[in-house]
Amino acid sequence: MKRSAAEIVREYGPFAGVEAVHGVTYDGSHVWFASGDKLSAVDPESGKIARSLDVAADAGTAFDGRHLFQIAEDRIQKIDAASGKVLGTIPAPGGGGDSGLAWAEGSLWVGQYRERKIHQIDPDTGKVLRTIESKRFVTGVTWVDGELWHGTWEGEDSDIRRIDPETGKVLEQLDLPAGTMVSGLESDGGDRFFCGGGANGNVRAVRRPRRG
Amino acid sequence: MESLINAAARALAAGDPLGALNRVALRNDAPSLALRGIAMAQLGDLAKAKTLLRSAARAFGPREAVARARCVVAEAEIALVSRDLGWPAKMLAAARTTLEKHGDVANATHAGHIEARRLLLVGRLDEAERILAELGTSPLPPAPQVVRELVVAGIAIRRLRTKDARAALGRAARAASLAGIPGLTAEVENANRVLDTPAARLITHGDERPLLLEQVEELAASDALVVDTFHHSVRRRGTIVSLGTRPVLFALARALAQAWPADVSREALMASAFGARHVDDSHRARLRVEIGRLRAKLKPLADVAATKQGFALTPRKTRQVMVLARPVEEKHAAVLAFLSEGEPWSSSALALALGTSARTVQRALDELARSNKVQSFGHGRARRWMTPPVPGFPTGLLLPGPLLKT
């Protein structure tokens, strides 16, 4: 396993009226983050909030190219990114113990926090297709270039780790400074991760290590 | 961190404990237990809340030090609100240190405020002030700001600085309306009522009138000679003669001050100071001795002159003599004063606050209960006492803080 210190390249926020960030995603131009009663889109260049949607947003956030998916209480809402309308909901696999959310390969991937699990579910029905065990409390989840990464937070320590989607084995780990929290994770498809900062209400950009 | 926990915490922060309970009622993981505990506390079931918070603290893993510290803080607040003053303050201090070390400033501040409120309640004003100073003066979010200002006001009231108290309560009211939590607003209104209710009676020239706290403060600054039944002292401005350990001398001083400028007969003095109904020569001899002692004590402030039938007070450097007395003078006034703030007290907590024995307090409470001036609920160690006209259970500022937020 490769282990190194996470390199924080930029911090966004704090934002007015945002007490905590629960989930993040990226739609190709904006970073969306969930903060309890709304979803907000931040321009990663200016760091300013471009728009906000009033929806319940308690945990992970994901984007499938057209829709935003947002965990609220014990369900996952499918939201039209343009209008902010909730198009439908499916039950969350953790029954409310859910944290991170990612979209990849036609499935939704849901982190179940204290159970230390990641579920792959059918985005239309919520049916659990398979479950990956992790070693730590799972926060955010993301897929990039065929790699499954997730955030952890346990005992006041956070890291971002790449795991083997078959075995759950940790392949690579980026440690965040002590007390710095990852509460949501998304890759921009390039060399950046966007991470929710939990109760400090910030969103951070962390460098993704390059292969080869 | 978890969806439903975040949603429930959001409901709690918005003052909706039932909404929070709805979301976690059937869950027994550590964060749910903690949330249920806090919700039960806000709903007034303090016993259940305590049990839930204890189990939550146990259920959190050994590495989740911050989560466990938050449970300790919540339990400490419940202990404070239920006037369980024997609760280990050390645990709270340790929890506060843990929270500070991990950068959870909000909850560390909350813990400090609980410590300060406990110290204020038991009259340790200097220590309460020191804790507030440790917490710093940086701006706080509205809800904790209310708590801080209430502690500041409480200290100012007990120190007889009404201007400071009113200023702090003004800031508290503004913060409470910003916070939008009705319980906090009610708390500030209650505190304001203290300033608008007569705090004392002034007896002078055989006449008496009620005094607001502000007028008591003015009196302290005036050049009148004041016999103060609150502190068992005689004073004029900064010159204070304490008679706290000399009840007979104080009774004599008070009798003389109340009659001033007239004199008081020997018989009346003996009756009020010794409780003597039938006066004999030994009483007369004792009165002479006690008057001599009082004269020596009061030397910087007044002379005690012999008259034809008794004694009279002659104040120095002033033409005013007054007695400052409690608004209602009756037996066990001190016990009633503590209960009249509307919170339930255990007899042992009252004993601690009053600095007397639990036995003495228990006797006073039994007597007051017989005349329907106080009432109790609960049994055994959980028994609590309060004055009857209580408009529901006051929140006592219970846990408005973001105790569960990640």
Side-chain angles (χ1 to χ4, degrees), chain B residues 31-94:
Chain B
S32 298
L33 287 170
L35 258 165
R36 280 163 55 194
I38 292 174
M40 290 317 283
Q42 291 190 350
L43 291 171
D45 189 344
L46 300 183
K48 180 88 191 155
K50 209 159 99 180
T51 317
L52 284 164
L53 284 164
R54 284 252 167 99
S55 2
R58 274 196 302 272
F60 278 115
R63 299 182 62 210
E64 295 175 275
V66 169
R68 271 185 289 128
R70 287 175 188 158
C71 290
V72 169
V73 173
E75 212 195 309
E77 179 157 23
I78 289 168
L80 175 75
V81 172
S82 46
R83 297 299 179 257
D84 173 12
L85 301 183
W87 196 85
K90 262 188 200 154
M91 275 179 75
L92 179 59

Short mmCIF file of all heavy atoms in Angstrom, two decimals, chain B residues 31-94:
data_model
loop_
_atom_site.label_atom_id
_atom_site.label_comp_id
_atom_site.label_asym_id
_atom_site.label_seq_id
_atom_site.Cartn_x
_atom_site.Cartn_y
_atom_site.Cartn_z
N PRO B 31 -24.54 7.49 17.94
CA PRO B 31 -25.03 8.85 17.69
C PRO B 31 -26.54 8.98 17.89
O PRO B 31 -27.02 10.01 18.35
CB PRO B 31 -24.67 9.11 16.22
CG PRO B 31 -23.72 8.05 15.83
CD PRO B 31 -23.89 6.90 16.76
N SER B 32 -27.29 7.91 17.56
CA SER B 32 -28.74 7.97 17.75
C SER B 32 -29.08 8.03 19.23
O SER B 32 -29.98 8.78 19.64
CB SER B 32 -29.42 6.76 17.12
OG SER B 32 -29.20 6.74 15.75
N LEU B 33 -28.37 7.24 20.04
CA LEU B 33 -28.63 7.27 21.49
C LEU B 33 -28.38 8.68 22.03
O LEU B 33 -29.16 9.20 22.82
CB LEU B 33 -27.71 6.27 22.20
CG LEU B 33 -28.05 4.79 22.02
CD1 LEU B 33 -26.93 3.91 22.56
CD2 LEU B 33 -29.36 4.46 22.72
N ALA B 34 -27.29 9.29 21.57
CA ALA B 34 -26.95 10.64 22.05
C ALA B 34 -28.03 11.63 21.64
O ALA B 34 -28.49 12.45 22.45
CB ALA B 34 -25.59 11.05 21.50
N LEU B 35 -28.46 11.53 20.39
CA LEU B 35 -29.50 12.44 19.90
C LEU B 35 -30.81 12.26 20.65
O LEU B 35 -31.48 13.22 21.01
CB LEU B 35 -29.75 12.15 18.42
CG LEU B 35 -29.11 13.12 17.46
CD1 LEU B 35 -29.11 12.56 16.07
CD2 LEU B 35 -29.88 14.44 17.49
N ARG B 36 -31.15 10.99 20.88
CA ARG B 36 -32.39 10.72 21.62
C ARG B 36 -32.28 11.29 23.03
O ARG B 36 -33.24 11.85 23.56
CB ARG B 36 -32.66 9.21 21.68
CG ARG B 36 -33.27 8.68 20.39
CD ARG B 36 -33.17 7.18 20.27
NE ARG B 36 -33.76 6.49 21.41
CZ ARG B 36 -33.57 5.20 21.68
NH1 ARG B 36 -32.81 4.47 20.89
NH2 ARG B 36 -34.13 4.65 22.71
N GLY B 37 -31.09 11.17 23.62
CA GLY B 37 -30.87 11.72 24.96
C GLY B 37 -31.11 13.21 24.98
O GLY B 37 -31.82 13.73 25.85
N ILE B 38 -30.55 13.91 24.01
CA ILE B 38 -30.69 15.37 23.98
C ILE B 38 -32.15 15.76 23.73
O ILE B 38 -32.68 16.67 24.36
CB ILE B 38 -29.74 15.97 22.93
CG1 ILE B 38 -28.31 15.78 23.41
CG2 ILE B 38 -30.04 17.44 22.71
CD1 ILE B 38 -27.26 16.19 22.44
N ALA B 39 -32.80 15.02 22.83
CA ALA B 39 -34.22 15.32 22.54
C ALA B 39 -35.06 15.09 23.80
O ALA B 39 -35.92 15.93 24.14
CB ALA B 39 -34.72 14.45 21.39
N MET B 40 -34.82 14.00 24.52
CA MET B 40 -35.58 13.73 25.74
C MET B 40 -35.32 14.83 26.76
O MET B 40 -36.23 15.24 27.48
CB MET B 40 -35.20 12.37 26.34
CG MET B 40 -35.64 11.15 25.54
SD MET B 40 -37.30 11.24 24.89
CE MET B 40 -38.23 10.89 26.36
N ALA B 41 -34.09 15.30 26.84
CA ALA B 41 -33.77 16.38 27.78
C ALA B 41 -34.57 17.63 27.44
O ALA B 41 -35.15 18.26 28.32
CB ALA B 41 -32.28 16.68 27.75
N GLN B 42 -34.63 17.94 26.16
CA GLN B 42 -35.38 19.14 25.75
C GLN B 42 -36.87 18.97 26.02
O GLN B 42 -37.59 19.94 26.24
CB GLN B 42 -35.14 19.46 24.28
CG GLN B 42 -33.72 19.93 24.03
CD GLN B 42 -33.50 20.48 22.65
OE1 GLN B 42 -34.36 20.35 21.79
NE2 GLN B 42 -32.36 21.08 22.43
N LEU B 43 -37.33 17.71 26.01
CA LEU B 43 -38.75 17.46 26.27
C LEU B 43 -39.03 17.34 27.77
O LEU B 43 -40.17 17.16 28.17
CB LEU B 43 -39.18 16.17 25.57
CG LEU B 43 -39.22 16.26 24.03
CD1 LEU B 43 -39.43 14.90 23.41
CD2 LEU B 43 -40.30 17.23 23.58
N GLY B 44 -37.97 17.42 28.58
CA GLY B 44 -38.19 17.47 30.02
C GLY B 44 -38.03 16.15 30.75
O GLY B 44 -38.12 16.11 31.96
N ASP B 45 -37.78 15.06 30.02
CA ASP B 45 -37.57 13.78 30.71
C ASP B 45 -36.08 13.62 31.00
O ASP B 45 -35.35 12.94 30.29
CB ASP B 45 -38.09 12.63 29.84
CG ASP B 45 -38.11 11.31 30.61
OD1 ASP B 45 -37.44 11.23 31.66
OD2 ASP B 45 -38.77 10.37 30.15
N LEU B 46 -35.65 14.27 32.06
CA LEU B 46 -34.22 14.35 32.34
C LEU B 46 -33.64 13.01 32.76
O LEU B 46 -32.49 12.69 32.45
CB LEU B 46 -33.95 15.41 33.41
CG LEU B 46 -34.39 16.82 33.03
CD1 LEU B 46 -34.01 17.81 34.12
CD2 LEU B 46 -33.80 17.26 31.71
N ALA B 47 -34.42 12.20 33.46
CA ALA B 47 -33.91 10.91 33.92
C ALA B 47 -33.61 10.01 32.73
O ALA B 47 -32.54 9.40 32.61
CB ALA B 47 -34.93 10.25 34.85
N LYS B 48 -34.57 9.96 31.81
CA LYS B 48 -34.40 9.15 30.60
C LYS B 48 -33.21 9.69 29.78
O LYS B 48 -32.41 8.93 29.24
CB LYS B 48 -35.70 9.22 29.79
CG LYS B 48 -35.70 8.44 28.51
CD LYS B 48 -36.15 7.01 28.76
CE LYS B 48 -35.88 6.17 27.51
NZ LYS B 48 -35.73 4.76 27.82
N ALA B 49 -33.14 11.01 29.70
CA ALA B 49 -32.07 11.65 28.93
C ALA B 49 -30.70 11.24 29.46
O ALA B 49 -29.79 10.91 28.69
CB ALA B 49 -32.24 13.16 28.98
N LYS B 50 -30.59 11.23 30.78
CA LYS B 50 -29.32 10.89 31.41
C LYS B 50 -28.91 9.45 31.05
O LYS B 50 -27.76 9.20 30.69
CB LYS B 50 -29.46 11.04 32.93
CG LYS B 50 -28.19 11.40 33.63
CD LYS B 50 -28.47 12.02 34.97
CE LYS B 50 -28.32 11.00 36.07
NZ LYS B 50 -28.58 11.57 37.40
N THR B 51 -29.87 8.54 31.15
CA THR B 51 -29.59 7.13 30.83
C THR B 51 -29.13 6.99 29.39
O THR B 51 -28.16 6.29 29.09
CB THR B 51 -30.87 6.29 31.03
OG1 THR B 51 -31.49 6.70 32.23
CG2 THR B 51 -30.55 4.82 31.09
N LEU B 52 -29.85 7.66 28.48
CA LEU B 52 -29.52 7.56 27.06
C LEU B 52 -28.12 8.10 26.78
O LEU B 52 -27.34 7.50 26.03
CB LEU B 52 -30.55 8.31 26.22
CG LEU B 52 -31.90 7.59 26.04
CD1 LEU B 52 -32.96 8.56 25.55
CD2 LEU B 52 -31.76 6.43 25.08
N LEU B 53 -27.79 9.23 27.40
CA LEU B 53 -26.48 9.84 27.15
C LEU B 53 -25.36 8.97 27.71
O LEU B 53 -24.30 8.85 27.11
CB LEU B 53 -26.43 11.24 27.75
CG LEU B 53 -27.20 12.27 26.92
CD1 LEU B 53 -27.46 13.52 27.72
CD2 LEU B 53 -26.43 12.61 25.65
N ARG B 54 -25.63 8.35 28.86
CA ARG B 54 -24.64 7.41 29.42
C ARG B 54 -24.39 6.27 28.45
O ARG B 54 -23.24 5.91 28.19
CB ARG B 54 -25.16 6.83 30.75
CG ARG B 54 -25.07 7.78 31.89
CD ARG B 54 -23.97 7.38 32.86
NE ARG B 54 -23.73 8.50 33.76
CZ ARG B 54 -24.24 8.57 34.98
NH1 ARG B 54 -24.94 7.59 35.47
NH2 ARG B 54 -24.01 9.63 35.72
N SER B 55 -25.48 5.67 27.93
CA SER B 55 -25.27 4.53 27.03
C SER B 55 -24.60 4.99 25.75
O SER B 55 -23.80 4.25 25.17
CB SER B 55 -26.57 3.79 26.70
OG SER B 55 -27.66 4.37 27.27
N ALA B 56 -24.91 6.20 25.31
CA ALA B 56 -24.26 6.72 24.10
C ALA B 56 -22.76 6.84 24.33
O ALA B 56 -21.95 6.41 23.50
CB ALA B 56 -24.85 8.06 23.72
N ALA B 57 -22.37 7.39 25.47
CA ALA B 57 -20.95 7.58 25.77
C ALA B 57 -20.23 6.23 25.77
O ALA B 57 -19.11 6.12 25.31
CB ALA B 57 -20.78 8.28 27.13
N ARG B 58 -20.92 5.21 26.29
CA ARG B 58 -20.31 3.87 26.29
C ARG B 58 -20.24 3.30 24.88
O ARG B 58 -19.29 2.60 24.54
CB ARG B 58 -21.13 2.92 27.18
CG ARG B 58 -20.74 2.98 28.64
CD ARG B 58 -21.31 1.77 29.37
NE ARG B 58 -22.75 1.67 29.27
CZ ARG B 58 -23.59 2.26 30.11
NH1 ARG B 58 -23.13 2.97 31.12
NH2 ARG B 58 -24.88 2.14 29.97
N ALA B 59 -21.27 3.59 24.07
CA ALA B 59 -21.34 2.97 22.74
C ALA B 59 -20.34 3.58 21.75
O ALA B 59 -19.96 2.93 20.78
CB ALA B 59 -22.76 3.09 22.20
N PHE B 60 -19.94 4.83 21.98
CA PHE B 60 -18.94 5.41 21.09
C PHE B 60 -17.62 4.67 21.29
O PHE B 60 -17.29 4.28 22.41
CB PHE B 60 -18.74 6.90 21.37
CG PHE B 60 -19.78 7.77 20.71
CD1 PHE B 60 -20.68 8.50 21.45
CD2 PHE B 60 -19.85 7.83 19.32
CE1 PHE B 60 -21.63 9.31 20.83
CE2 PHE B 60 -20.80 8.63 18.70
CZ PHE B 60 -21.70 9.36 19.46
N GLY B 61 -16.89 4.47 20.21
CA GLY B 61 -15.64 3.72 20.29
C GLY B 61 -14.58 4.46 21.08
O GLY B 61 -14.70 5.68 21.32
N PRO B 62 -13.53 3.74 21.48
CA PRO B 62 -12.47 4.37 22.28
C PRO B 62 -11.77 5.50 21.54
O PRO B 62 -11.19 6.38 22.17
CB PRO B 62 -11.51 3.20 22.57
CG PRO B 62 -11.85 2.14 21.58
CD PRO B 62 -13.30 2.31 21.25
N ARG B 63 -11.81 5.47 20.21
CA ARG B 63 -11.12 6.54 19.47
C ARG B 63 -12.01 7.75 19.25
O ARG B 63 -11.56 8.77 18.76
CB ARG B 63 -10.61 6.00 18.13
CG ARG B 63 -9.60 4.85 18.32
CD ARG B 63 -9.09 4.37 17.00
NE ARG B 63 -8.37 5.42 16.29
CZ ARG B 63 -8.32 5.50 14.96
NH1 ARG B 63 -8.96 4.62 14.23
NH2 ARG B 63 -7.65 6.45 14.38
N GLU B 64 -13.29 7.63 19.58
CA GLU B 64 -14.21 8.75 19.34
C GLU B 64 -14.29 9.64 20.59
O GLU B 64 -15.34 9.80 21.20
CB GLU B 64 -15.58 8.20 18.95
CG GLU B 64 -15.53 7.46 17.62
CD GLU B 64 -16.84 6.79 17.25
OE1 GLU B 64 -17.09 5.67 17.69
OE2 GLU B 64 -17.60 7.41 16.52
N ALA B 65 -13.12 10.21 20.93
CA ALA B 65 -13.02 10.98 22.18
C ALA B 65 -13.93 12.20 22.16
O ALA B 65 -14.54 12.53 23.18
CB ALA B 65 -11.56 11.40 22.38
N VAL B 66 -14.03 12.85 21.01
CA VAL B 66 -14.83 14.07 20.93
C VAL B 66 -16.30 13.75 21.16
O VAL B 66 -17.00 14.43 21.92
CB VAL B 66 -14.61 14.76 19.57
CG1 VAL B 66 -15.62 15.87 19.37
CG2 VAL B 66 -13.20 15.31 19.50
N ALA B 67 -16.78 12.69 20.51
CA ALA B 67 -18.18 12.31 20.67
C ALA B 67 -18.49 11.99 22.13
O ALA B 67 -19.53 12.39 22.66
CB ALA B 67 -18.50 11.11 19.78
N ARG B 68 -17.55 11.28 22.78
CA ARG B 68 -17.79 10.94 24.19
C ARG B 68 -17.77 12.19 25.06
O ARG B 68 -18.57 12.34 25.97
CB ARG B 68 -16.76 9.92 24.67
CG ARG B 68 -17.25 8.49 24.42
CD ARG B 68 -16.32 7.46 25.00
NE ARG B 68 -15.09 7.40 24.24
CZ ARG B 68 -13.88 7.50 24.78
NH1 ARG B 68 -13.76 7.62 26.07
NH2 ARG B 68 -12.82 7.45 24.01
N ALA B 69 -16.86 13.11 24.76
CA ALA B 69 -16.79 14.36 25.53
C ALA B 69 -18.10 15.15 25.40
O ALA B 69 -18.59 15.72 26.37
CB ALA B 69 -15.62 15.21 25.06
N ARG B 70 -18.68 15.12 24.20
CA ARG B 70 -19.95 15.84 24.00
C ARG B 70 -21.06 15.24 24.87
O ARG B 70 -21.90 15.96 25.41
CB ARG B 70 -20.36 15.79 22.54
CG ARG B 70 -19.49 16.69 21.67
CD ARG B 70 -19.85 16.51 20.21
NE ARG B 70 -18.88 17.23 19.37
CZ ARG B 70 -18.67 16.94 18.11
NH1 ARG B 70 -19.35 15.97 17.52
NH2 ARG B 70 -17.78 17.62 17.42
N CYS B 71 -21.04 13.90 25.00
CA CYS B 71 -22.04 13.25 25.85
C CYS B 71 -21.87 13.69 27.30
O CYS B 71 -22.86 13.93 28.01
CB CYS B 71 -21.93 11.73 25.76
SG CYS B 71 -22.45 11.07 24.18
N VAL B 72 -20.60 13.80 27.74
CA VAL B 72 -20.34 14.24 29.11
C VAL B 72 -20.87 15.66 29.32
O VAL B 72 -21.51 15.95 30.33
CB VAL B 72 -18.82 14.19 29.40
CG1 VAL B 72 -18.51 14.88 30.72
CG2 VAL B 72 -18.34 12.74 29.43
N VAL B 73 -20.65 16.52 28.33
CA VAL B 73 -21.13 17.91 28.44
C VAL B 73 -22.65 17.94 28.53
O VAL B 73 -23.22 18.64 29.37
CB VAL B 73 -20.65 18.73 27.23
CG1 VAL B 73 -21.29 20.12 27.24
CG2 VAL B 73 -19.13 18.86 27.25
N ALA B 74 -23.30 17.13 27.70
CA ALA B 74 -24.77 17.09 27.73
C ALA B 74 -25.26 16.60 29.08
O ALA B 74 -26.21 17.15 29.66
CB ALA B 74 -25.29 16.20 26.62
N GLU B 75 -24.59 15.59 29.61
CA GLU B 75 -25.01 15.06 30.91
C GLU B 75 -24.79 16.10 32.01
O GLU B 75 -25.60 16.23 32.93
CB GLU B 75 -24.23 13.78 31.22
CG GLU B 75 -25.05 12.80 32.03
CD GLU B 75 -24.19 11.71 32.64
OE1 GLU B 75 -23.41 11.08 31.91
OE2 GLU B 75 -24.31 11.50 33.85
N ALA B 76 -23.70 16.85 31.89
CA ALA B 76 -23.41 17.90 32.89
C ALA B 76 -24.50 18.97 32.85
O ALA B 76 -24.91 19.49 33.89
CB ALA B 76 -22.05 18.52 32.62
N GLU B 77 -24.98 19.28 31.65
CA GLU B 77 -26.01 20.30 31.57
C GLU B 77 -27.31 19.81 32.20
O GLU B 77 -28.01 20.57 32.88
CB GLU B 77 -26.26 20.72 30.12
CG GLU B 77 -27.35 21.78 30.05
CD GLU B 77 -27.29 22.64 28.81
OE1 GLU B 77 -26.72 22.17 27.82
OE2 GLU B 77 -27.82 23.75 28.86
N ILE B 78 -27.61 18.52 31.98
CA ILE B 78 -28.80 17.96 32.60
C ILE B 78 -28.67 18.01 34.12
O ILE B 78 -29.60 18.37 34.84
CB ILE B 78 -29.03 16.53 32.10
CG1 ILE B 78 -29.49 16.58 30.65
CG2 ILE B 78 -30.05 15.80 32.95
CD1 ILE B 78 -29.48 15.25 29.95
N ALA B 79 -27.48 17.68 34.60
CA ALA B 79 -27.24 17.74 36.05
C ALA B 79 -27.46 19.16 36.56
O ALA B 79 -28.09 19.37 37.60
CB ALA B 79 -25.82 17.27 36.37
N LEU B 80 -26.98 20.13 35.81
CA LEU B 80 -27.14 21.53 36.22
C LEU B 80 -28.61 21.92 36.27
O LEU B 80 -29.08 22.52 37.24
CB LEU B 80 -26.39 22.45 35.24
CG LEU B 80 -26.58 23.95 35.47
CD1 LEU B 80 -25.76 24.38 36.68
CD2 LEU B 80 -26.16 24.75 34.26
N VAL B 81 -29.34 21.57 35.21
CA VAL B 81 -30.74 21.96 35.13
C VAL B 81 -31.56 21.26 36.21
O VAL B 81 -32.50 21.83 36.75
CB VAL B 81 -31.30 21.67 33.73
CG1 VAL B 81 -32.80 21.88 33.69
CG2 VAL B 81 -30.64 22.59 32.72
N SER B 82 -31.18 20.02 36.55
CA SER B 82 -31.92 19.34 37.62
C SER B 82 -31.30 19.63 38.99
O SER B 82 -31.63 18.97 39.96
CB SER B 82 -32.01 17.84 37.34
OG SER B 82 -30.76 17.34 36.96
N ARG B 83 -30.43 20.63 39.03
CA ARG B 83 -29.82 21.09 40.27
C ARG B 83 -29.12 19.98 41.03
O ARG B 83 -29.14 19.93 42.24
CB ARG B 83 -30.88 21.75 41.18
CG ARG B 83 -31.50 22.99 40.56
CD ARG B 83 -30.44 24.04 40.32
NE ARG B 83 -30.99 25.24 39.71
CZ ARG B 83 -30.85 25.55 38.43
NH1 ARG B 83 -30.21 24.75 37.62
NH2 ARG B 83 -31.33 26.66 37.95
N ASP B 84 -28.52 19.08 40.25
CA ASP B 84 -27.73 18.02 40.84
C ASP B 84 -26.30 18.55 40.93
O ASP B 84 -25.45 18.26 40.11
CB ASP B 84 -27.83 16.77 39.93
CG ASP B 84 -26.90 15.67 40.38
OD1 ASP B 84 -26.36 15.77 41.50
OD2 ASP B 84 -26.72 14.71 39.61
N LEU B 85 -26.07 19.40 41.94
CA LEU B 85 -24.80 20.13 42.00
C LEU B 85 -23.63 19.27 42.43
O LEU B 85 -22.49 19.68 42.39
CB LEU B 85 -24.94 21.34 42.93
CG LEU B 85 -26.01 22.34 42.52
CD1 LEU B 85 -26.01 23.52 43.46
CD2 LEU B 85 -25.82 22.81 41.10
N GLY B 86 -23.93 18.05 42.86
CA GLY B 86 -22.86 17.17 43.29
C GLY B 86 -22.20 16.46 42.12
O GLY B 86 -21.24 15.73 42.28
N TRP B 87 -22.70 16.70 40.91
CA TRP B 87 -22.16 16.05 39.72
C TRP B 87 -20.69 16.41 39.55
O TRP B 87 -20.31 17.56 39.73
CB TRP B 87 -22.97 16.52 38.51
CG TRP B 87 -22.77 15.67 37.32
CD1 TRP B 87 -23.43 14.51 37.03
CD2 TRP B 87 -21.86 15.90 36.24
NE1 TRP B 87 -22.97 14.00 35.85
CE2 TRP B 87 -22.01 14.82 35.35
CE3 TRP B 87 -20.91 16.88 35.96
CZ2 TRP B 87 -21.27 14.71 34.19
CZ3 TRP B 87 -20.17 16.78 34.82
CH2 TRP B 87 -20.35 15.70 33.94
N PRO B 88 -19.84 15.41 39.21
CA PRO B 88 -18.39 15.69 39.20
C PRO B 88 -17.98 16.76 38.19
O PRO B 88 -18.05 16.56 36.98
CB PRO B 88 -17.77 14.34 38.84
CG PRO B 88 -18.88 13.51 38.30
CD PRO B 88 -20.13 14.01 38.92
N ALA B 89 -17.58 17.91 38.70
CA ALA B 89 -17.18 19.03 37.85
C ALA B 89 -15.90 18.70 37.09
O ALA B 89 -15.65 19.24 36.02
CB ALA B 89 -16.98 20.28 38.71
N LYS B 90 -15.10 17.78 37.66
CA LYS B 90 -13.83 17.43 37.02
C LYS B 90 -14.05 16.80 35.65
O LYS B 90 -13.31 17.05 34.71
CB LYS B 90 -13.08 16.44 37.91
CG LYS B 90 -12.04 17.09 38.77
CD LYS B 90 -11.22 16.02 39.47
CE LYS B 90 -10.53 16.62 40.68
NZ LYS B 90 -10.24 15.63 41.70
N MET B 91 -15.09 15.96 35.56
CA MET B 91 -15.38 15.30 34.27
C MET B 91 -15.71 16.34 33.21
O MET B 91 -15.31 16.21 32.06
CB MET B 91 -16.57 14.35 34.43
CG MET B 91 -16.18 12.99 34.93
SD MET B 91 -17.63 11.94 35.10
CE MET B 91 -17.96 11.55 33.38
N LEU B 92 -16.44 17.37 33.63
CA LEU B 92 -16.81 18.43 32.69
C LEU B 92 -15.56 19.19 32.24
O LEU B 92 -15.40 19.47 31.05
CB LEU B 92 -17.81 19.38 33.34
CG LEU B 92 -18.28 20.56 32.50
CD1 LEU B 92 -18.95 20.09 31.22
CD2 LEU B 92 -19.23 21.45 33.28
N ALA B 93 -14.69 19.49 33.18
CA ALA B 93 -13.46 20.21 32.84
C ALA B 93 -12.61 19.38 31.87
O ALA B 93 -12.06 19.91 30.89
CB ALA B 93 -12.67 20.53 34.10
N ALA B 94 -12.55 18.07 32.12
CA ALA B 94 -11.76 17.19 31.24
C ALA B 94 -12.38 17.16 29.84
O ALA B 94 -11.67 17.22 28.83
CB ALA B 94 -11.69 15.79 31.82
#
